[in-house]
Amino acid sequence: MRSGPIKVCYTVLPLSEVVIDKFHVIKYVYDALQDVRLRIRKQLNDELSKGKTKTLKDKAVLSDLELLRRTSRLLNQSQEKWSENNAALMHQLFCKFPLIKQAYMLAQDFKQWYQKENSKLHRITIEKKLFDWYERVEKSMIKEFKPVVRMIEKHEENIINFFSCNHTNAGAERMNGKIKRFLSNNYGFRDKDFGLYRLAGYFS
């Protein structure tokens, strides 16, 4: 069943296509990647001694925890954006935690599938590439990615519609940001109509 706004959209614009914003979908994938890192961090924390005296093993665990902390932001970036020092740091992370490397490559593969250039491909080819990604996720057996696959499968048609026109909601997000700044700078309106009049003037 279609929700209210989407139902109205199809009623007023019957030939329209609903496109789920690309950046929200990719964020969902990268959140799963970060969840893998957090799972490993929790496991390491559980290995620490409960007392105040730290053993050699504790020092090694603390070093691994620091590595996880320092590479958190880098996991959300493509490899070509890493500096030489960051690339060495990530190499150390991937050698220490192969599961994180596997999750990172899944996230990068999905981001690559979502490239605007793929809009030149036939829709069947685009769908096949997505199904191949599903299979790689299933073979990886990384539990954090299972909800991601379910979400994408549920909204698959509207996600793939991105390749028809390459539209995102970046423009709407910018507009929303400007409206929020306007309201923040003009806090205290009591007359709604006058407020809307001022807002219209702000964008004219």
Side-chain angles (χ1 to χ4, degrees), residues 78-113:
S78 301
Q79 296 182 37
E80 59 268 17
K81 293 184 178 180
W82 297 339
S83 66
E84 188 175 338
N85 289 337
N86 287 338
L89 196 65
M90 293 302 291
H91 177 72
Q92 182 182 352
L93 176 76
F94 291 156
C95 288
K96 180 75 71 170
F97 305 107
L99 185 65
I100 293 181
K101 180 179 181 180
Q102 193 176 9
Y104 175 81
M105 295 310 299
L106 284 173
Q108 289 298 302
D109 287 346
F110 184 79
K111 186 178 179 181
Q112 187 64 35
W113 172 82

Side-chain angles (χ1 to χ4, degrees), residues 111-158:
K111 186 178 179 181
Q112 187 64 35
W113 172 82
Y114 233 141
Q115 292 300 307
K116 183 169 65 174
E117 291 74 16
N118 285 339
S119 60
K120 300 174 184 177
L121 302 175
H122 193 281
R123 188 179 178 103
I124 293 177
T125 303
I126 293 171
E127 290 176 353
K128 184 181 183 304
K129 287 178 176 290
L130 182 59
F131 297 156
D132 290 342
W133 185 79
Y134 290 160
E135 289 184 9
R136 291 197 295 276
V137 170
E138 185 176 356
K139 289 179 181 178
S140 74
M141 300 183 69
I142 300 177
K143 62 181 181 180
E144 286 81 2
F145 277 82
K146 290 182 179 179
V148 177
V149 171
R150 288 197 297 269
M151 182 277 293
I152 295 173
E153 286 178 332
K154 181 178 179 181
H155 303 285
E156 193 171 86
E157 180 181 353
N158 294 339

Side-chain angles (χ1 to χ4, degrees), residues 35-46:
D35 286 342
V36 174
R37 183 186 67 85
L38 293 174
R39 169 158 61 101
I40 292 175
R41 188 184 72 175
K42 183 179 182 303
Q43 292 171 350
L44 290 173
N45 277 318
D46 290 342

